Amino acid sequence: MIRSLICFLLVIGLFGLLTCGRVGFGYLRFWIDWINLLIVFGGTIALSFISYSPKKIWRSIAAGWSKKPYSQEAYQQSYRVLKIMGNYALLVGFFTFLSFFALKMMSLDDPARIAPNVAKAIFPLLYGIFLSEVIIRPLGNQVVKKIR
């Protein structure tokens, strides 16, 4: 219940940020940093494929979405895979944040540009949280419901 509330508030918060960005800045380009987005999503997928076979990953995703019944052992394995994928998303987002933050601060000449640089460095962290808490973990929660 609490996790669902947190996910709901996260989605509402992201929607609010996007709306403010659209109204305040006139375009959405400020809020979507494609390089960071690709690094976080691609890094999560790459780490997942390194840890598990693609077949296991697709089965885990299918176990969350499909109405087809699976064995209890398959559901438990799917939950473990999805849990690890959620952790990878947070991990990749955090390390990308740290690396971009360090790069932005090293190339800083004008102190007035600190806030925009830090704001751009925070995006990978937000993308990792979004991927983990809004996409992957709710899928894992669907698998848990099927276990019981």
Side-chain angles (χ1 to χ4, degrees):
M1 177 69 181
I2 291 175
R3 187 180 284 293
S4 299
L5 180 64
I6 291 171
C7 288
F8 175 73
L9 292 175
L10 180 66
V11 169
I12 295 296
L14 287 173
F15 180 72
L17 281 174
L18 291 174
T19 303
C20 290
R22 182 75 178 144
V23 171
F25 300 102
Y27 52 90
L28 196 59
R29 188 175 55 197
F30 177 79
W31 294 101
I32 297 177
D33 189 2
W34 291 106
I35 293 172
N36 288 333
L37 190 68
L38 288 174
I39 289 172
V40 171
F41 277 71
T44 302
I45 291 168
L47 285 174
S48 300
F49 282 161
I50 289 170
S51 298
Y52 298 103
S53 69
K55 191 175 183 178
K56 271 188 187 177
I57 293 172
W58 296 126
R59 271 194 206 150
S60 300
I61 293 170
W65 278 333
S66 176
K67 303 264 188 224
K68 177 181 152 185
Y70 291 95
S71 68
Q72 292 296 319
E73 183 180 315
Y75 280 134
Q76 290 172 352
Q77 184 179 14
S78 297
Y79 176 71
R80 283 193 300 269
V81 169
L82 290 170
K83 185 177 175 185
I84 294 293
M85 285 178 65
N87 291 340
Y88 284 158
L90 292 173
L91 181 77
V92 171
F94 181 70
F95 281 118
T96 307
F97 159 73
L98 287 178
S99 61
F100 273 84
F101 183 76
L103 286 173
K104 298 282 185 184
M105 290 300 122
M106 285 191 320
S107 64
L108 191 62
D109 296 332
D110 184 17
R113 294 185 44 122
I114 290 176
N117 284 336
V118 170
K120 285 287 191 182
I122 288 177
F123 283 142
L125 190 58
L126 294 175
Y127 296 149
I129 291 170
F130 178 80
L131 180 61
S132 175
E133 297 297 327
V134 177
I135 297 174
I136 297 173
R137 298 219 187 206
L139 198 57
N141 291 340
Q142 291 296 324
V143 172
V144 167
K145 287 179 186 175
K146 293 176 182 181
I147 291 174
R148 296 179 186 160

